[in-house]
Amino acid sequence: MQLLRTTDPDFDKKFRRIVRDRRESDVDVQRDVATILNEVRERGDAALVEYSMRFDDHRLTTEDDWRISAETCKAAYEALDPALNSALNTAAQRIRSYHENQLPADRDYTDHIGMRLGARWLPVDAAGLYVPGGRAAYPSSLLMNAIPAKVAGVERLVVVTPTPKGQTNPLVLAAAHIAGVDEMWRVGGAQAVAALAYGTDRIKRVDVVTGPGNAWVAEAKRQLYGVVGIDMVAGPSEILVIADANNNPEWIAADLLSQAEHDPTSQSILITDSEALARQVGDAIDLALMKLATAKTAKASWDAHGLIVIVESLDQAPALSDRLAAEHVELMVDDPQALFDQMRHAGSVFLGRHTPEAVGDYIAGPNHVLPTGRRARFASGLSVLDFMKRTSFIDASDAALAAIGPAAIRLAEAEGLPAHALSIAVRLNK
Amino acid sequence: MQLLRTTDPDFDKKFRRIVRDRRESDVDVQRDVATILNEVRERGDAALVEYSMRFDDHRLTTEDDWRISAETCKAAYEALDPALNSALNTAAQRIRSYHENQLPADRDYTDHIGMRLGARWLPVDAAGLYVPGGRAAYPSSLLMNAIPAKVAGVERLVVVTPTPKGQTNPLVLAAAHIAGVDEMWRVGGAQAVAALAYGTDRIKRVDVVTGPGNAWVAEAKRQLYGVVGIDMVAGPSEILVIADANNNPEWIAADLLSQAEHDPTSQSILITDSEALARQVGDAIDLALMKLATAKTAKASWDAHGLIVIVESLDQAPALSDRLAAEHVELMVDDPQALFDQMRHAGSVFLGRHTPEAVGDYIAGPNHVLPTGRRARFASGLSVLDFMKRTSFIDASDAALAAIGPAAIRLAEAEGLPAHALSIAVRLNK
């Protein structure tokens, strides 16, 4: 953990280094992924069979080797512990409700010259969702990706997931049942993303691919961007807590550790105007680490990337926060709205002392797929818009074309595009 | 030009081949672009000086070599022919008005358990706009990219444009004046995109880069996706005209040629249920090509990629159109709305016989930056949203956290993330 004070003479230099630090693994998988994508495009299912054997020790032969059926998902759902069943359903209902509120409105109006203009939103035909296997297979991620697609109106929602040695995660299957996933394939890695983008005999292609994954999956999405739509490529997770002196250090310690336990590359940052709180939070983290089952990961993250910044006044916090443009920002102060009003860049903001970030990870309703690595400067969390597209339209009356056609002709001629000009002129001179 | 009939025994095979044809140049610039990006990131302005000399024969020494001043743009505007001045202003005003209508609404509500939820939209701090030099330097493109950024509220709008041997395009400078561009730099190519994304001593970095460009520029944007936000990478332009027998073939010929004249890789397609119209349009195109200043390009495009599909009934047109997912679709029929209602995938649709696509290129108001190469399946035209980002927020009251916190704890425990569970539990057990 690093401790900085804005009064340090070299504060700006050190803070700038932290802002620039990418924390992303620089394993170069570009060439391997390009090969895999090409193999799947050329050889389809045969390539999937080979890669699944090689990477997941899973043989794709029978229908059951290839697919997880809707019945299997339903059975996993029905076998859930009742409390967990209720929790998953509450989460799904709240996520659905928040995302329904996001649906964009079409526009259709006629302006003063009699030209009808507008835009129509429609869902994509099919969406693919990558669900990691093993430790990172989170039912909450499935809900957060699948429900916005279904709310958008996507008719065919396809999940791909690796099943190492054939193993599946019953919680993920139950979540797929709740979310209404239409197809679920036992393939993973870059090869699964390629199958979604190009299509194979078995797996029909989709239009958008979302969902988290390892470096291979992320690189596959990056390379296939444009062949399909993708969500933002995600990096390591981050939390920034902005807190005044009047806080329970245990609460803040737990919040910082809730990011740190995700991965050693995660980053947890506290900005406070209280030296005492800073010290108490540091102590509370050390204490909590002693009994946390995820202590090894959380400690690695906190030691390497943890940061406490002591400011002279919390008025300095919004500007520092904007430079970090963190994925999650908690505002643990008396008037969180006043701070929020001064901030510009953050993935999601948690206002007040009773809004731990974890409530947003699971159940509050807003999406937990958020821009990382300072991308909140320009990117937004996953939403129904990622599963929709907009068609603009123009309907010119005879009179409307007469009103503005001559100006368009002049511009087309000035740009040296005579057929553009002609296409308007022939209609005006009929 | 290729003529297909849906009654041909091999129609589906041939149509599928056309749908799959990418028409994109496969010049491999990936490695060259990676080198250029790296040089600019490492050496900043010095690399820009070298590349501008090498690629544009333009020496960057004095301030005037580097920048085109606001005064220069204003002078270009004031020197405009009055008719052109009026046309550009009309276009700018109509584009502004359409895009103002696109501004998204914030959301802020409190649900039945007392949890406040919402989303706030803000513009990015700075946007960069690539404007090609030479033949493809279109003032209309500058307006179509710059005005949505300004309507979004972007405070710093930066144009980069190559000025080969120092030459500038007065129409583009005048458009920059009208649109309110804040900075204009005389650098182009992949190196200019790198400067926008990474920043140099002279050119401060931006958050989003948009605008058309050659293969190097497009690849630079692709490689920098994630470092900055970008608009969709664009491919060759397309138009699809769906027309019944009751049409003037000259009008349709002009519309098809207005795409064909852009580039030899452009594609113009007519779908009609009238053999007679198909023949007449073919003849009208041959006739128009005899007097068109851009005939060489238009003929190359029409010969290589032009297509007429004769259907038995126009009821077949929407499904074919959806497979093409064309950038521009004209509906030249009596009831264009009925056809539009059956279509799902298109960049922009032009309804009725008096709405040539060129009116949308210049002056109608909707954006002319649209998804190409079948990307309308999942992508949308440029809009104010490309220059904005959304921050979700959550504000839980004590009671709201008590209501749903236990369910979140259960999910966190099931996912093996105890610090997540702890961060909620400490607040419930206070």
Side-chain angles (χ1 to χ4, degrees):
Chain A
M1 189 269 292
Q2 198 176 349
L3 179 76
L4 298 181
R5 289 178 180 80
T6 51
T7 50
D8 293 345
D10 54 354
F11 171 77
D12 206 65
K13 191 174 151 197
K14 285 184 174 165
F15 191 76
R16 196 181 316 133
R17 194 180 305 141
I18 288 159
V19 167
R20 289 208 176 155
D21 180 19
R22 300 237 69 83
R23 291 177 290 125
E24 294 176 24
S25 80
D26 52 357
V27 43
D28 185 10
V29 297
Q30 199 172 311
R31 196 179 299 195
D32 290 350
V33 167
T35 304
I36 293 171
L37 302 190
N38 198 47
E39 285 290 305
V40 174
R41 187 174 47 188
E42 299 288 325
R43 303 197 295 119
D45 291 328
L48 296 181
V49 170
E50 288 172 24
Y51 288 124
S52 294
M53 199 64 224
R54 192 192 310 172
F55 297 129
D56 301 328
D57 196 12
H58 178 63
R59 188 179 300 279
L60 294 168
T61 313
T62 68
E63 186 68 13
D64 279 350
D65 297 332
W66 278 92
R67 286 183 76 153
I68 299 169
S69 70
E71 291 69 36
T72 305
C73 293
K74 188 161 180 241
Y77 172 73
E78 286 167 351
L80 276 183
D81 162 82
L84 212 46
N85 178 317
S86 160
L88 269 180
N89 272 303
T90 301
Q93 174 267 315
R94 294 189 56 90
I95 296 166
R96 193 173 293 122
S97 165
Y98 182 84
H99 287 81
E100 280 168 356
N101 212 304
Q102 261 176 356
L103 284 165
D106 289 349
R107 288 176 305 126
D108 190 342
Y109 62 97
T110 301
D111 70 13
H112 66 282
I113 65 163
M115 185 164 283
R116 183 177 159 224
L117 299 170
R120 184 178 73 180
W121 288 92
L122 283 178
V124 300
D125 288 342
L129 164 52
Y130 192 90
V131 175
R135 195 168 67 100
Y138 296 139
S140 61
S141 283
L142 193 144
L143 296 182
M144 288 287 182
N145 280 271
I147 291 173
K150 280 295 174 185
V151 169
V154 174
E155 295 220 344
R156 181 171 160 260
L157 176 57
V158 185
V159 164
V160 291
T161 187
T163 56
K165 296 179 195 286
Q167 285 184 318
T168 56
N169 178 327
L171 277 176
V172 167
L173 303 195
H177 173 76
I178 292 174
V181 167
D182 299 293
E183 298 170 24
M184 201 157 179
W185 298 91
R186 292 167 170 266
V187 289
Q191 62 272 21
V193 182
L196 290 173
Y198 295 128
T200 69
D201 284 342
R202 282 184 182 265
I203 305 176
K204 299 298 164 226
R205 69 160 174 70
V206 304
D207 303 297
V208 168
V209 177
T210 71
N214 61 19
W216 277 259
V217 171
E219 175 63 17
K221 284 165 71 178
R222 214 185 60 78
Q223 290 189 20
L224 290 165
Y225 169 67
V227 177
V228 285
I230 63 169
D231 58 343
M232 176 60 55
V233 174
S237 200
E238 306 134 0
I239 189 171
L240 165 62
V241 178
I242 299 175
D244 61 21
N246 184 25
N247 274 292
N248 185 329
E250 266 186 76
W251 298 11
I252 296 177
D255 297 358
L256 295 170
L257 290 172
S258 75
Q259 280 310 301
E261 74 176 342
H262 270 301
D263 196 272
T265 62
S266 298
Q267 181 163 49
S268 303
I269 302 178
L270 168 65
I271 295 181
T272 181
D273 59 354
S274 163
E275 288 268 357
L277 183 82
R279 199 175 48 246
Q280 290 160 355
V281 168
D283 293 347
I285 285 179
D286 292 342
L287 204 68
L289 282 173
M290 285 192 236
K291 39 191 177 175
L292 207 60
T294 51
K296 195 179 161 201
T297 302
K299 186 173 185 321
S301 158
W302 180 245
D303 286 352
H305 304 296
L307 172 68
I308 297 180
V309 179
I310 296 173
V311 292
E312 294 171 277
S313 153
L314 286 179
D315 292 344
Q316 297 170 285
L320 295 175
S321 171
D322 278 351
R323 288 172 66 185
L324 293 164
E327 185 187 10
H328 308 101
V329 182
E330 289 185 3
L331 304 178
M332 296 185 63
V333 296
D334 280 337
D335 185 0
Q337 187 64 42
L339 270 189
F340 185 39
D341 288 344
Q342 294 172 66
M343 289 169 47
R344 295 181 50 79
H345 311 308
S348 192
V349 174
F350 303 79
L351 291 93
R353 309 186 204 277
H354 292 91
T355 318
E357 186 261 308
V359 85
D361 279 344
Y362 289 111
I363 209 156
N367 213 288
H368 79 194
V369 180
L370 295 165
T372 56
R374 300 181 61 233
R375 297 188 185 91
R377 291 182 294 120
F378 54 83
S380 308
L382 194 70
S383 79
V384 296
L385 298 183
D386 291 294
F387 300 99
M388 304 183 80
K389 71 271 174 34
R390 190 185 58 240
T391 298
S392 57
F393 60 86
I394 305 171
D395 184 346
S397 65
D398 208 346
L401 188 66
I404 59 170
I409 291 173
R410 246 169 248 133
L411 293 170
E413 285 170 348
E415 289 191 352
L417 294 171
H420 283 65
L422 182 66
S423 71
I424 299 168
V426 288
R427 286 167 167 89
L428 298 181
N429 305 330
K430 64 196 161 174
Chain B
M1 189 271 291
Q2 198 175 352
L3 180 76
L4 299 181
R5 288 177 181 79
T6 51
T7 52
D8 293 345
D10 56 354
F11 171 77
D12 206 66
K13 190 172 149 197
K14 285 185 171 162
F15 191 75
R16 195 179 320 133
R17 194 179 307 141
I18 288 159
V19 167
R20 288 207 176 157
D21 181 18
R22 299 237 69 85
R23 292 179 290 124
E24 294 175 24
S25 81
D26 52 357
V27 44
D28 185 10
V29 297
Q30 200 172 310
R31 194 177 303 193
D32 290 350
V33 166
T35 304
I36 292 171
L37 302 190
N38 199 47
E39 286 289 306
V40 173
R41 187 173 45 187
E42 298 290 325
R43 302 197 297 118
D45 291 330
L48 296 181
V49 169
E50 288 172 25
Y51 287 125
S52 293
M53 199 64 226
R54 192 193 310 173
F55 296 130
D56 301 328
D57 197 10
H58 177 62
R59 188 179 300 277
L60 294 167
T61 314
T62 67
E63 186 67 15
D64 280 352
D65 297 332
W66 277 92
R67 286 183 75 154
I68 299 168
S69 69
E71 292 69 39
T72 305
C73 292
K74 187 162 181 239
Y77 172 73
E78 285 168 351
L80 277 182
D81 162 83
L84 212 47
N85 177 318
S86 159
L88 269 180
N89 272 303
T90 301
Q93 174 266 315
R94 293 188 57 90
I95 295 165
R96 195 172 293 123
S97 165
Y98 182 85
H99 288 80
E100 279 168 356
N101 212 303
Q102 262 175 355
L103 284 166
D106 290 349
R107 286 174 308 125
D108 190 342
Y109 62 98
T110 301
D111 70 14
H112 65 283
I113 65 162
M115 185 164 282
R116 181 176 160 222
L117 299 170
R120 183 179 73 179
W121 287 93
L122 282 178
V124 301
D125 288 341
L129 163 52
Y130 191 90
V131 174
R135 195 167 68 96
Y138 296 140
S140 60
S141 284
L142 192 143
L143 296 182
M144 289 288 182
N145 281 272
I147 291 173
K150 280 294 172 185
V151 169
V154 174
E155 294 219 346
R156 180 171 161 258
L157 176 57
V158 185
V159 165
V160 291
T161 187
T163 56
K165 295 179 196 286
Q167 285 183 318
T168 56
N169 177 327
L171 277 177
V172 168
L173 303 195
H177 173 76
I178 292 173
V181 167
D182 298 292
E183 297 170 23
M184 200 159 180
W185 297 91
R186 293 165 169 266
V187 288
Q191 63 273 21
V193 182
L196 290 173
Y198 295 127
T200 69
D201 284 342
R202 284 185 179 264
I203 305 176
K204 299 295 164 231
R205 71 164 173 67
V206 303
D207 304 297
V208 168
V209 177
T210 72
N214 61 20
W216 277 260
V217 171
E219 176 63 17
K221 283 166 70 177
R222 213 184 61 77
Q223 290 188 20
L224 290 166
Y225 168 69
V227 178
V228 285
I230 64 168
D231 57 343
M232 177 58 55
V233 173
S237 199
E238 308 134 358
I239 189 171
L240 164 63
V241 179
I242 299 175
D244 61 21
N246 184 27
N247 273 293
N248 185 330
E250 267 185 78
W251 297 11
I252 296 176
D255 296 357
L256 295 171
L257 290 172
S258 75
Q259 279 310 299
E261 75 178 342
H262 270 300
D263 196 272
T265 62
S266 298
Q267 182 162 51
S268 304
I269 302 179
L270 169 64
I271 295 181
T272 181
D273 58 353
S274 164
E275 288 269 357
L277 183 81
R279 198 173 52 244
Q280 290 160 354
V281 168
D283 292 347
I285 284 178
D286 292 342
L287 205 67
L289 282 173
M290 286 193 236
K291 36 192 179 173
L292 207 61
T294 50
K296 195 178 161 201
T297 303
K299 187 173 185 316
S301 158
W302 181 244
D303 287 351
H305 304 295
L307 172 68
I308 296 180
V309 179
I310 295 172
V311 292
E312 293 171 278
S313 154
L314 285 181
D315 292 343
Q316 298 169 285
L320 296 175
S321 171
D322 276 351
R323 288 173 66 187
L324 294 164
E327 185 186 11
H328 308 102
V329 181
E330 288 185 5
L331 303 177
M332 297 186 64
V333 296
D334 280 338
D335 186 0
Q337 186 64 42
L339 271 189
F340 185 39
D341 288 343
Q342 295 171 66
M343 289 169 47
R344 295 181 50 79
H345 310 308
S348 192
V349 175
F350 303 79
L351 291 94
R353 308 185 205 278
H354 292 92
T355 318
E357 185 262 308
V359 85
D361 280 343
Y362 290 110
I363 208 155
N367 213 287
H368 79 192
V369 180
L370 295 164
T372 57
R374 301 181 61 235
R375 296 188 186 92
R377 292 182 292 122
F378 55 83
S380 309
L382 193 71
S383 80
V384 297
L385 297 183
D386 291 294
F387 301 99
M388 304 183 80
K389 73 270 177 29
R390 191 185 57 241
T391 298
S392 57
F393 59 87
I394 305 172
D395 184 346
S397 64
D398 206 348
L401 187 66
I404 59 170
I409 291 174
R410 247 168 246 132
L411 293 170
E413 284 169 350
E415 290 190 352
L417 295 172
H420 283 65
L422 181 66
S423 72
I424 298 169
V426 288
R427 286 168 167 90
L428 297 182
N429 305 329
K430 63 192 158 173

